Amino acid sequence: MRIRRPRLPRTRTGQRRLVQAVVAVCVLALLPATWLFTSTAGRMRTVADAPRAPVAVVFGAGLWNGEPSPYLARRLDATAALYHAGRIRAVLVTGDNSRKDYDEPDAMRTYLTEHGVPGRRIVRDYAGFDTWDSCVRAKKIFGVDRAVLVSQGFHIRRAIALCEAAGVDSYGVGVDEPHDVTWYYGGTREVFAAGKALLDTLFRPNPTFLGPRDQGVAKALAGAGSPAGTARRGNG
């Protein structure tokens, strides 16, 4: 069966309507990304000027042979720098552990301890299957009310918007990266992910796995110095 190619309109009116339709589709597609940029204005920081907060939340970004991928390693490097600068007092590492042979949180914790962050200050969230899940669980399971979020620049605005929607007062540290193939892929993916993020903030679905409350963050903060913010002991 021959597939007929669509024919472009031949009249000027038809061509004008086609152009208008294409422009309308492009505008609608970019609206969620525009919302992310406007809603997170003033919430972007660097390691040097990040506000003091009780907790840093670090999002998983893949493993290579059981160790953090280069992109994830740079997120963890920035987190270690925040800790050593006294900007944060504990770290919540959140990632995917949906199968036994893939464990992002443990790999992240190991990397951080090798870079001088005490293990007792690191809490693992094994069910951070996507950004929304991580933000909701940070609030509802671990009782985080205020945090510095750490991710790549192309992802951090979405993380801020989602954590704010989940009830976490958030600032974001966007880690710089060379503009390689992964960077361009990540940036392109974010245009489409922004649409899901907008739907998540509107409908606020439950995460894939919620589970019981966890006192890990409260215990990590206990005795970690004078409080720079608050993290509830329980569900927020």
Side-chain angles (χ1 to χ4, degrees):
M1 180 182 295
R2 295 180 61 186
I3 300 176
R4 299 179 62 182
R5 291 184 298 176
R7 294 181 180 180
L8 296 176
R10 295 181 178 180
T11 65
R12 288 188 177 180
T13 300
Q15 292 171 354
R16 184 170 61 251
R17 289 176 178 173
L18 176 61
V19 171
Q20 291 172 341
V22 171
V23 170
V25 170
C26 291
V27 169
L28 289 174
L30 292 174
L31 278 178
T34 303
W35 159 73
L36 282 183
F37 272 85
T38 56
S39 66
T40 59
R43 294 270 168 180
M44 296 289 292
R45 295 291 189 272
T46 66
V47 170
D49 66 1
R52 296 184 185 277
V55 184
V57 178
V58 193
F59 301 87
L63 301 178
W64 288 12
N65 297 319
E67 297 184 356
S69 67
Y71 269 51
L72 179 53
R74 282 188 274 273
R75 296 182 188 186
L76 297 168
D77 288 338
T79 304
L82 287 169
Y83 180 83
H84 294 308
R87 301 280 178 177
I88 58 170
R89 296 185 291 131
V91 181
L92 176 62
V93 292
T94 174
D96 187 353
N97 180 218
S98 56
R99 60 182 194 271
K100 291 183 178 180
D101 60 342
Y102 191 85
D103 189 341
E104 283 186 321
D106 276 354
M108 294 161 76
R109 182 184 186 277
T110 298
Y111 188 98
L112 285 171
T113 57
E114 290 173 350
H115 287 76
V117 181
R120 66 184 181 279
R121 304 296 179 217
I122 305 169
V123 182
R124 288 160 289 186
D125 174 12
Y126 294 101
F129 300 126
D130 63 16
T131 306
W132 175 248
D133 283 15
S134 294
C135 290
V136 173
R137 286 177 55 79
K139 174 70 176 180
K140 292 188 174 182
I141 302 302
F142 296 95
V144 175
D145 291 327
R146 186 168 185 265
V148 172
L149 315 179
V150 184
S151 187
Q152 265 68 33
F154 55 72
H155 170 249
I156 194 64
R157 289 182 181 273
R158 179 160 61 93
I160 295 170
L162 290 175
C163 280
E164 285 281 325
V168 181
D169 182 19
S170 303
Y171 285 84
V173 170
V175 180
D176 291 331
E177 295 288 347
H179 290 191
D180 55 12
V181 173
T182 303
W183 187 91
Y184 283 107
Y185 168 78
T188 302
R189 179 178 177 273
E190 284 302 309
V191 174
F192 300 96
K196 179 182 181 299
L198 181 58
L199 293 176
D200 285 338
T201 61
L202 291 174
F203 296 103
R204 311 205 175 189
N206 287 325
T208 304
F209 179 78
L210 197 57
R213 298 176 184 178
D214 190 299
Q215 295 295 314
V217 168
K219 291 178 180 178
L221 290 172
S226 59
T230 58
R232 291 184 196 170
R233 297 173 179 269
N235 201 2

